[in-house]
Amino acid sequence: MEAAARVIARRGVRGLRVEELAAEAGVSTALIYYHFKDRAGILRRTLEFISDRAERYTSERETPARPPDPRRELEQTLLLELQDEPVVRENSTAWGELRANAVFDPELREDLAKATLIWVQEIAELLGRVSPMSPAASLAASAERLTALLEGLSMRWLSGILPLTRARTLLLEAVAVELARLDRE
């Protein structure tokens, strides 16, 4: 799965060739087809893999002497998606490639929508810890705006349009705006 994420990040979904994936993974093409059946299976499992990997690097943090306050935990979780680390760059690039391809692939679109919903729900839960009196619908809307912004900022950063420090600043400002909005409701 790491090889699939690397190839998709490097070549895009349309540039994914099973032969190149097999070479990258150090296995035969027959083994790839045995495990994944077809290209759609490869894409589906790669999407699951990068979602799981993102979950690990956004939730596995050093354990501080005392737990972070809920707002700080929310900010850290979002900011961990904007790290200049190879695995984060690869994950974010592969996610963007899969998202772009979903425009033309209804099956992938459905899988991407599920993965996005899980991510939005996780952020809504973190927002709820910061603003526990906010209605669930408001938390979900704020989470959706923040995750959409984060995806856009990530793509701008990865493509060199936006410096990483500026992307992180804009994200933190958006968190402040969303929390202020929730406080008013």
Side-chain angles (χ1 to χ4, degrees), residues 3-53:
R6 272 193 307 275
V7 172
I8 290 171
R10 188 172 52 235
R11 300 252 187 235
V13 171
R14 291 184 181 199
L16 174 66
R17 303 289 175 257
V18 175
E19 297 77 21
E20 183 181 359
L21 172 57
E24 182 84 21
V27 299
S28 70
T29 57
L31 188 60
I32 299 285
Y33 282 115
Y34 175 79
H35 284 288
F36 302 105
K37 307 290 185 247
D38 57 15
R39 190 173 152 82
I42 294 168
L43 296 178
R44 187 175 305 107
R45 281 292 300 129
T46 304
L47 178 61
E48 291 172 14
F49 172 77
I50 64 173
S51 293
D52 291 344
R53 189 163 66 171

Side-chain angles (χ1 to χ4, degrees), residues 13-14 39-41 43-44 97-113:
V13 171
R14 291 184 181 199
R39 190 173 152 82
L43 296 178
R44 187 175 305 107
E97 290 293 334
L98 289 162
R99 188 182 67 220
N101 195 68
V103 170
F104 306 103
D105 183 343
E107 192 173 309
L108 184 57
R109 188 179 312 144
E110 188 175 309
D111 293 333
L112 190 71

